[in-house]
Amino acid sequence: MRFIETLLITNQIENLKYHNLRMNKTRKYFYNLDEIDLKDYIKIIPNKRVRVLYNDKILKVEYFDLIQRNFNNFKIVESNIDYDFKYENRDKLNSLKVDGYDEIIIVKNGFITDTTISNLAFFNGKEWHTPKKPLLKGTKRAELLEKGIIKEKEIRVENIKNYQKMAMINAILGFYEIDKINISF
């Protein structure tokens, strides 16, 4: 089995603490290995996306240009998929995508989870809520929870209409707010 961490480099490695925590949790769970630090494997090349491929050791570190993407149209997709770890193989996630939409929102047992590339948050006019049970506990999500910017809440698919805004959350997008929620059910 192989896993990935995708990190953002500005003038530094962003969210390094959270990436190290997730990677080391994965390595401990599958291989019972001691902790390592990603900074020992990553060169600081400003404004790059870094993809670290690993299993019991670091296999490859790749650097990519940042590409701006826009997300406007979402499709609700029901699935019982499990994605507790950030696996390299994303075939099951990718098979859920629907042509004609920028991204999908995965619903599991009636509750909102994630998109195929990000955690989610919804704004009710007072505070931001993120699904209590995401598919993958993202690094940026962990940081925003720790800072109190978002709060965990079980969000049923039928409750999306109660929210004014949505945000996609991941290491590269950061907290990507979408003012007009365009979701097809």
Side-chain angles (χ1 to χ4, degrees):
M1 228 174 302
R2 297 176 358 158
F3 306 92
I4 58 172
E5 280 298 321
T6 305
L7 303 92
L8 175 65
I9 301 177
T10 53
N11 291 323
Q12 64 183 8
I13 303 168
E14 297 294 328
N15 268 1
L16 180 61
K17 166 186 162 183
Y18 301 97
H19 287 287
N20 277 330
L21 283 169
R22 183 171 63 192
M23 178 196 62
N24 284 310
K25 178 183 169 192
T26 301
R27 293 176 77 247
K28 185 76 169 169
Y29 182 85
F30 286 96
Y31 308 107
N32 198 29
L33 294 171
D34 292 334
E35 292 185 3
I36 60 173
D37 193 331
L38 284 166
K39 78 173 189 263
D40 296 334
Y41 300 90
I42 296 173
K43 295 178 197 166
I44 303 296
I45 303 172
N47 302 314
K48 292 288 183 182
R49 176 174 59 96
V50 180
R51 183 177 186 262
V52 178
L53 179 64
Y54 69 96
N55 52 24
D56 59 330
K57 60 184 177 282
I58 301 296
L59 301 171
K60 189 191 305 185
V61 179
E62 299 174 287
Y63 300 84
F64 302 94
D65 290 333
L66 295 173
I67 298 170
Q68 176 133 5
R69 294 175 61 188
N70 293 313
F71 299 92
N72 299 303
N73 299 308
F74 297 84
K75 174 77 174 163
I76 295 288
V77 175
E78 181 80 37
S79 176
N80 286 322
I81 190 168
D82 286 319
Y83 195 72
D84 294 338
F85 297 93
K86 194 165 177 157
Y87 298 102
E88 176 192 29
N89 184 333
R90 296 176 43 86
D91 291 346
K92 288 181 182 177
L93 274 177
N94 291 335
S95 73
L96 299 174
K97 290 186 178 185
V98 179
D99 288 340
Y101 294 91
D102 299 324
E103 189 51 78
I104 63 169
I105 296 173
I106 302 165
V107 174
K108 191 170 181 177
N109 301 319
F111 293 96
I112 300 295
T113 62
D114 293 328
T115 74
T116 64
I117 63 164
S118 72
N119 295 127
L120 291 167
F122 296 89
F123 186 67
N124 68 2
K126 294 181 182 177
E127 58 189 16
W128 286 94
H129 298 152
T130 190
K132 194 170 190 165
K133 295 178 184 171
L135 293 179
L136 179 71
K137 293 182 178 180
T139 58
K140 188 67 174 176
R141 177 184 180 274
E143 176 198 22
L144 295 171
L145 281 167
E146 188 175 288
K147 290 180 176 178
I149 294 169
I150 60 176
K151 296 178 180 179
E152 287 185 319
K153 182 175 176 139
E154 289 187 336
I155 303 170
R156 291 196 153 282
V157 68
E158 61 268 18
N159 294 336
I160 290 177
K161 66 184 179 299
N162 300 329
Y163 291 96
Q164 299 166 5
K165 292 186 201 180
M166 182 175 87
M168 296 172 69
I169 307 166
N170 74 21
I172 306 304
L173 292 171
F175 191 80
Y176 180 90
E177 281 188 50
I178 301 164
D179 291 328
K180 186 178 178 221
I181 305 173
N182 186 5
I183 300 172
S184 298
F185 291 84

